Amino acid sequence: MAFSNLFRKKTVEDILKQVEKDKVEGHNTLGKYLTTKDLTAFGIAAIVGAGIFSTIGKASADGGPAVIFLFLFTAMACGFAAFAYAEFASLVPVSGSAYTYSYVAFGELIAWIIGWALIMEYAIGNITVAISWSDYFTGLLESGGIHLPEWIQMDYLTASNGYAEATALMENGKAFENLDEGIKAAYMAWTSAPTIGSFHVVADLPALFIIIIITTLVYRGMKESRNASNLMVVVKLCIILLVIAVGVFYVDTDNWSPFAPNGINGVLKGISAVFFAYIGFDAISTTAEECKNPQRDLPRGMMWAIIICTILYIVIALVLTGMVKYNLLDVGDPLAFVFHQLDLKWMSGIIAVSAVIAMASVLLVFQMGQPRIWMSMSRDGLLPKRFSTIHPKYKTPSFATIVTGFVVGVPALFLNLTMVTDLCSIGTLFAFVLVCAGVLVLQNKPDIPRGKFKTPYVNAKYIFPVMLLIGIGYALFFNTQATINFLENNPKINDAKTIITSLNKTQAKAVFGYLQSIDTEQKTTKTSDLEHLLSQYESNPEHYQEIVSHLPIADNLKYESGFSLFKHKIPMWIFMITLIGLAFWAFRKNLSLIPLLGLVCCLYMMAELSVWNWIYFTIWLLIGLVIYFGFSHKNSKLNFS
């Protein structure tokens, strides 16, 4: 196998000719129905979902009212990436999104890698939204007096992990009624579930139910999907505007002080959750072949979707943090929560209904994107030919759509929300990074044809290195302690819950004895709840550190240090080293500033994700490489051209 063959490229002309060839050979083409308005609606449908109804609460609790700056930063990063997507969509107006663009810019191997990453993005994204939809749907049923057994409304991993955590806490003195509601529900689901041998039958059936419905709709046709999406977007926008209109009368500006209670670190803590609120706009680019005028409408649809959704997110964040104190918003349903706090229960009911509609519309857009990626890869020979089959009546990639339903529906029964949210984010960010890099690679190649849309050019030769120096100066002089801790890898103290759940019975008894010996207020005579007894000291970090240092257990239970601490910093080290390389590249090649900033912003958000997400993502890519070298490379149509 020649090394150069791994990076063989397709030209724009090749791609367009292939579409025509498939048509001549008997493949049906996709129907062309979409306009700028439809694409903007799809973008809003994809973006306004879990973010505004769920993750905005946690982000607001971490960052306070200043979370609006996080929304602005994320919108800016997505906007930079959207410029790159729009330029490629104008250049290569066919389905395939970042996969097709990478085939032109980098060659086949990188195109396969990005296509494989997009499969994870859309599949995991759909699983995430299906699980969130299930949570809201079962909550809505509860409010109507219909209670489903816990074991058919919760995923297997959440139930299993919750049972283990609840058991550990109860063994160390915590009463069942004092457990968090989520842990209690998980414990009940696990203990009440029917068993087959030692296997507990716990599965999220409502998540499977909505996936079947959406997959059927997507299978039936783009026109039907478009009409359903437009209707759902109108409904949820009306509800959001109603929330703003009612909520603004209950805003207390005193709740906006302090504006940034946890500083810049608190604001950035919610970056993963907030970014997840924005992903999906890139799914618009997978519908290029179904647009009436893709070179004009795709760029406009992406930009309008991001602008409209950013305005909505910022206004909602200000209203929420004005209605109640920011630290109360760390709940799964913040919009319903604030109105319940103000005894406006009728609004809570309306929000619950709109959330169910909003989640369904997000799932619809994601479920459209996945089959079209597979279809494009199949056309190139990288996946079996059947994945590019177009239904003769419905004009949709029928086989790929059915497979997508299975790929999303089955894992949604068993996987938990936290795991799939971060995996979806890292796959999406990786795609954004490569699309931005693709624009930079192609910018100085005169032999590449240009589409109608081109990213405005600003020379980054001097601007980017200066920005890098300013960032280094800020880290050294204005964020000194955090920078020193990062560079020196100083041990990090574990929180009370982490310490207590890691103890065996002997260790727990020793810790309780020590807490009893320093207990001047006799709290240990009232409860044996170790987590509660230790966590009471966390409000004073210095005192807590002193207490933990004297606990009669091994240091590895008290602190995270050495490589176990350093490994979490590896993504940020990758980011910083890459920044230096990009500065040299920008200086030598006069790179365009906008796609360069898009690349940097998205790579920074990847660095903020945990090292475990990087490890899982790497494993996923390695599996993809096995498939590529086992099947795709030798079946690629470039082998026969």
Side-chain angles (χ1 to χ4, degrees):
M1 180 191 301
F3 181 77
S4 60
N5 281 348
L6 297 178
F7 299 96
R8 53 196 175 186
K9 298 177 182 178
K10 296 188 75 172
T11 65
V12 177
E13 292 83 357
D14 288 337
I15 294 171
L16 297 177
K17 284 178 183 177
Q18 184 63 51
V19 174
E20 290 301 317
K21 183 180 177 183
D22 288 340
K23 183 177 179 181
V24 171
E25 290 177 351
H27 293 293
N28 290 284
T29 56
L30 299 170
K32 291 184 177 293
Y33 304 110
L34 305 178
T35 63
T36 299
K37 180 185 72 174
D38 299 318
L39 292 168
T40 303
F42 275 138
I44 295 171
I47 297 171
V48 178
I52 210 161
F53 289 99
S54 181
T55 55
I56 194 173
K58 178 69 166 65
S60 298
D62 290 332
V67 73
I68 63 170
F69 296 119
L70 183 53
F71 282 114
L72 284 172
F73 170 75
T74 308
M76 183 173 63
C78 291
F80 290 149
F83 270 109
Y85 267 92
E87 182 165 336
F88 266 123
S90 178
L91 174 65
V92 194
V94 296
S95 294
S97 185
Y99 158 75
T100 303
Y101 309 155
S102 297
Y103 222 141
V104 174
F106 302 111
E108 185 171 279
L109 180 60
I110 303 301
W112 168 265
I113 290 173
I114 196 66
W116 191 246
L118 286 171
I119 288 173
M120 186 177 77
E121 173 196 343
Y122 290 118
I124 297 294
N126 288 350
I127 293 167
T128 305
V129 177
I131 294 170
S132 295
W133 185 90
S134 173
D135 291 343
Y136 271 95
F137 180 69
T138 53
L140 185 62
L141 292 180
E142 288 277 355
S143 65
I146 302 173
H147 177 72
L148 299 177
E150 281 83 358
W151 58 272
I152 68 168
Q153 58 174 297
M154 183 177 293
D155 63 272
Y156 183 90
L157 279 180
T158 296
S160 176
N161 294 340
Y163 173 80
E165 187 173 339
T167 302
L169 290 172
M170 287 191 290
E171 285 179 351
N172 289 312
K174 186 177 283 291
F176 178 77
E177 57 270 17
N178 293 331
L179 293 171
D180 293 339
E181 290 299 320
I183 296 178
K184 281 199 286 189
Y187 183 89
M188 291 297 297
W190 187 260
T191 53
S192 64
T195 57
I196 302 175
S198 60
F199 179 79
H200 291 246
V201 182
V202 182
D204 196 340
L205 294 184
L208 178 64
F209 169 73
I210 188 61
I211 288 168
I212 292 172
I213 291 177
I214 294 296
T215 302
T216 303
L217 180 60
V218 172
Y219 181 89
R220 288 296 301 269
M222 176 57 75
K223 188 182 292 185
E224 291 77 7
S225 300
R226 177 199 64 187
N227 294 341
S229 173
N230 289 347
L231 177 61
M232 288 188 281
V233 166
V234 169
V235 171
K236 68 181 177 182
L237 286 182
C238 288
I239 298 299
I240 290 169
L241 292 175
L242 176 64
V243 168
I244 294 170
V246 173
V248 74
F249 291 102
Y250 294 88
V251 168
D252 180 357
T253 54
D254 289 342
N255 288 330
W256 289 339
S257 180
F259 197 72
N262 300 312
I264 187 67
N265 291 332
V267 173
L268 292 177
K269 190 175 180 182
I271 200 163
S272 173
V274 169
F275 174 74
F276 183 75
Y278 274 93
I279 67 172
F281 80 84
D282 60 313
I284 300 172
S285 64
T286 67
T287 65
E289 284 182 51
E290 292 148 290
C291 298
K292 293 180 178 178
N293 188 346
Q295 293 177 313
R296 180 197 67 191
D297 295 341
L298 276 169
R300 292 181 180 180
M302 286 183 186
M303 296 303 176
W304 275 116
I306 291 174
I307 291 169
I308 291 170
C309 292
T310 300
I311 293 171
L312 288 175
Y313 277 138
I314 289 174
V315 175
I316 283 287
L318 287 174
V319 170
L320 285 181
T321 54
M323 291 174 71
V324 300
K325 201 67 177 174
Y326 71 91
N327 56 0
L328 300 176
L329 289 171
D330 188 7
V331 293
D333 52 347
L335 267 66
F337 170 78
V338 293
F339 285 102
H340 187 78
Q341 287 287 100
L342 297 171
D343 204 29
L344 296 173
K345 294 185 175 64
W346 61 275
M347 278 295 294
S348 297
I350 292 174
I351 290 166
V353 173
S354 65
V356 169
I357 295 171
M359 300 290 184
S361 69
V362 177
L363 187 60
L364 174 65
V365 178
F366 274 46
Q367 204 74 345
M368 285 193 309
Q370 175 78 88
R372 285 153 180 80
I373 298 293
W374 281 349
M375 178 188 72
S376 296
M377 297 175 77
S378 174
R379 283 175 174 173
D380 296 330
L382 304 187
L383 286 177
K385 189 175 181 180
R386 198 170 181 190
F387 280 89
S388 58
T389 302
I390 306 298
H391 196 284
K393 178 180 178 182
Y394 301 132
K395 306 296 183 184
T396 58
S398 50
F399 178 76
T401 301
I402 293 171
V403 173
T404 297
F406 280 101
V407 168
V408 175
V410 175
L413 294 171
F414 307 108
L415 296 181
N416 72 30
L417 191 59
T418 302
M419 176 185 291
V420 293
T421 299
D422 287 346
L423 279 175
C424 181
S425 293
I426 196 169
T428 308
L429 286 166
F430 184 68
F432 287 6
V433 165
L434 282 188
V435 171
C436 292
V439 171
L440 295 173
V441 168
L442 297 182
Q443 72 171 34
N444 293 321
K445 294 189 176 181
D447 56 330
I448 298 293
R450 301 296 171 186
K452 295 180 181 178
F453 180 87
K454 196 172 188 308
T455 304
Y457 177 77
V458 178
N459 193 339
K461 181 181 182 75
Y462 298 110
I463 297 175
F464 186 73
V466 169
M467 292 174 68
L468 180 58
L469 291 173
I470 292 172
I472 293 172
Y474 172 82
L476 292 176
F477 298 106
F478 296 97
N479 200 22
T480 308
Q481 190 56 51
T483 304
I484 291 173
N485 289 340
F486 180 84
L487 295 174
E488 293 185 350
N489 204 44
N490 293 327
K492 180 182 176 184
I493 193 167
N494 288 325
D495 60 39
K497 189 173 185 179
T498 301
I499 293 173
I500 298 306
T501 54
S502 64
L503 303 179
N504 59 36
K505 290 185 177 180
T506 303
Q507 293 165 335
K509 185 176 180 181
V511 169
F512 182 77
Y514 172 73
L515 294 178
Q516 202 171 32
S517 70
I518 63 169
D519 183 12
T520 57
E521 299 180 19
Q522 299 300 307
K523 290 185 177 180
T524 51
T525 61
K526 300 174 184 176
T527 179
S528 58
D529 183 348
L530 271 182
E531 188 213 357
H532 175 73
L533 292 170
L534 184 58
S535 63
Q536 66 182 324
Y537 299 106
E538 286 184 310
S539 58
N540 185 334
E542 291 183 2
H543 191 203
Y544 176 70
Q545 186 165 355
E546 182 183 354
I547 296 292
V548 170
S549 68
H550 289 92
L551 291 178
I553 53 176
D555 283 350
N556 66 309
L557 298 175
K558 305 179 202 176
Y559 307 102
E560 193 172 24
S561 60
F563 183 75
S564 64
L565 177 61
F566 176 77
K567 67 187 178 186
H568 298 296
K569 301 178 182 180
I570 292 175
M572 189 57 69
W573 276 110
I574 293 173
F575 170 72
M576 292 190 297
I577 293 170
T578 304
L579 276 186
I580 297 171
L582 290 174
F584 280 108
W585 190 24
F587 187 81
R588 291 185 58 212
K589 297 293 185 180
N590 298 318
L591 297 182
S592 176
L593 184 63
I594 290 177
L596 181 60
L597 291 177
L599 191 160
V600 170
C601 291
C602 293
L603 189 60
Y604 171 75
M605 288 191 282
M606 283 183 71
E608 285 289 335
L609 296 173
S610 79
V611 69
W612 294 112
N613 288 295
W614 285 66
I615 292 171
Y616 297 145
F617 182 60
T618 301
I619 292 171
W620 174 259
L621 293 184
L622 290 175
I623 294 171
L625 289 176
V626 171
I627 296 172
Y628 174 76
F629 288 110
F631 174 86
S632 305
H633 182 75
K634 61 186 178 184
N635 288 284
S636 170
K637 290 190 176 179
L638 291 185
N639 275 334
F640 311 103
S641 59

